[in-house]
Amino acid sequence: DVKVTQSSRYLVKRTGEKVFLECVQDMDHENMFWYRQDPGLGLRLIYFSYDVKMKEKGDIPEGYSVSREKKERFSLILESASTNQTSMYLCASSPWGTSSYEQYFGPGTRLTVT
Amino acid sequence: GEDVEQSLFLSVREGDSSVINCTYTDSSSTYLYWYKQEPGAGLQLLTYIFSNMDMKQDQRLTVLLNKKDKHLSLRIADTQTGDSAIYFCAEAGTALIFGKGTTLSVSS
């Protein structure tokens, strides 16, 4: 079974702090994604990566950056956390191939910025 | 632009069938997906359908695809309280585009 893990289930940070959210997948998938999920807005893509050291902006990249130094790990960085970044953050991965959009999700990190 | 639309809420009684509807806009989508999210959890892939199919059945789940109308539906037969969750429709365009999710509430 594909396993996608996220470093924390719940996180509370203060405004202005630098925040790291880590995601690790164990199935050698090329593609990795970061989404945020907010009530009434569904899932919105922040960034994705299709290879080590490669990254592409999604729909809402402002205020975020990412790092992919190893194939299995994709980090989301909030350089200076703000209250409007309070959200559920979901990481996903997928392989290349005809079903490359069949994404496997981690359990999510609920981030609260106070 | 690409957009996936779903109704936000559906309420059914235990034992009834549930039908969750979705419309999408990208006619070139090759795959369409249904994901389920239980409270406090990530998304779990339920089923998917390839765009050259009209129907796919998997135990209690039936997916119907009407390409002409760009309409996708998920039918859950004999709905149980454990089916209570948010269901997301998604289409594979330049990236995976999700609908906002339909919250299914099952009462006993």
Side-chain angles (χ1 to χ4, degrees), chain B residues 44-59:
Chain B
Q44 170 194 2
L45 179 66
L46 263 186
T47 187
Y48 64 91
I49 188 167
F50 189 51
S51 59
N52 68 354
M53 298 169 67
D54 298 324
M55 186 181 87
K56 179 179 179 181
Q57 190 150 359
D58 184 1
Q59 298 182 336

Side-chain angles (χ1 to χ4, degrees), chain A residues 1-107:
Chain A
D1 272 356
V2 176
K3 194 162 185 185
V4 180
T5 56
Q6 294 183 229
S7 49
S8 306
R9 291 300 304 272
Y10 301 94
L11 209 51
V12 179
K13 295 291 181 181
R14 291 192 182 276
T15 302
E17 280 193 83
K18 190 169 186 175
V19 181
F20 292 86
L21 302 183
E22 305 284 340
C23 175
V24 177
Q25 50 94 4
D26 66 357
M27 283 302 290
D28 203 35
H29 285 172
E30 286 76 14
N31 303 322
M32 295 188 75
F33 307 83
W34 275 107
Y35 296 88
R36 64 177 282 177
Q37 182 180 15
D38 301 288
L41 297 177
L43 273 74
R44 293 181 290 168
L45 181 64
I46 305 170
Y47 268 97
F48 66 100
S49 168
Y50 53 86
D51 202 352
V52 175
K53 297 193 187 295
M54 305 299 286
K55 61 184 179 185
E56 294 285 340
K57 292 180 180 178
D59 300 319
I60 51 163
E62 296 79 18
Y64 303 94
S65 62
V66 290
S67 172
R68 189 148 181 223
E69 296 296 318
K70 293 185 177 182
K71 192 175 185 181
E72 68 271 18
R73 188 179 298 268
F74 192 35
S75 302
L76 180 70
I77 303 153
L78 287 66
E79 295 290 342
S80 177
S82 63
T83 54
N84 64 12
Q85 292 177 310
T86 291
S87 186
M88 170 73 101
Y89 290 87
L90 294 166
C91 175
S93 72
S94 71
W96 282 117
T98 55
S99 59
S100 63
Y101 296 112
E102 185 179 327
Q103 296 183 14
Y104 298 85
F105 283 82

